[in-house]
Amino acid sequence: MNTPGTCTAFPLSRLGVLRLTGPDVLSFLQGQVTLDVSKLNKSLKPAGYCDPKGRLLSVFYLTKSDSDVLIVTPRDTAQSLCRRLTLYTLRRRVHIAVEEDFFVYGVVGTPDIPETCPRYTKGAVTLTLTQIPEKSDADEDSWWEAAAREALPCVFLKTQGLFLPQSVNLDLTGGVTFGKGCYVGQEIVSRIHSLGTPSRRAAVYEGPSMPFNAGGDVFDDERNPRAVLIYQAGRYALIECAVRDTPQTLYLENGQPLTLVSQTH
């Protein structure tokens, strides 16, 4: 995977891949995830997988690979996600397993990626899959820093069951298809949509450079919990905040200050 100029391919070890095979894959997924998978193609598409209360258990990036479907998801949730989805297959002809033959990479900037590699781009960051591993010493946290700056949705083990799709802006990135029919948690997600602006959204904050982290409360200047950390890396953090009162300054558990950079509402 060659990238022009100063662009670098970052091996994303925090993300893994599931492969779904069988003749009933698309009909099965249609009743499980927030995206209309009948329109799935060779590119990566964001989608959410919710519990019955509409809370996200994962943010997927899906693509068709011949007759199969590949799902890019955080590695720390991949095994549990595989087991949970398998429970719902019932008598459908679907097999779900962790895929070891694909590798997940990230690119910051304008990439030169082969057409055979599925990808998803949001702003300056790109996710892509390849079967050919590329040696790279690039620091993965640098890609996640850029991903937080672009408000790329993601749910890790520590944040499973905390966020509605709208809370991480998944509906703004095309990851929720309203009116597609029933899926797990659909009633709650649709109800929030019908009410108009959701009460909580993801916002981007900037602060001192920090190691990668996901989950935990974020505080106001009186040490009251005011928001939830979706994830952070380097100088940027993606934080779920109240829409009506998004603070200009928040503080991490260690007392480090964060300043509001951008909101999406």
Side-chain angles (χ1 to χ4, degrees), residues 170-190:
L170 187 62
D171 56 324
L172 303 181
T173 63
V176 182
T177 306
F178 295 103
K180 60 158 270 189
C182 293
Y183 55 87
V184 181
Q186 177 266 335
E187 183 178 354
I188 305 297
V189 176
S190 295

Side-chain angles (χ1 to χ4, degrees), residues 1-10 105-117 119 126 128-130 132-136:
M1 187 191 313
N2 297 316
T3 54
T6 60
C7 292
T8 303
F10 297 85
Y105 285 85
V107 175
V108 179
T110 305
D112 180 15
I113 298 173
E115 290 297 324
T116 54
C117 294
R119 85 286 306 273
T126 296
T128 187
L129 284 174
T130 178
I132 304 173
E134 180 174 316
K135 292 183 178 179
S136 175

Side-chain angles (χ1 to χ4, degrees), residues 45 141 201 251:
K45 300 288 187 182
D141 281 4
R201 282 284 193 191
Y251 298 85

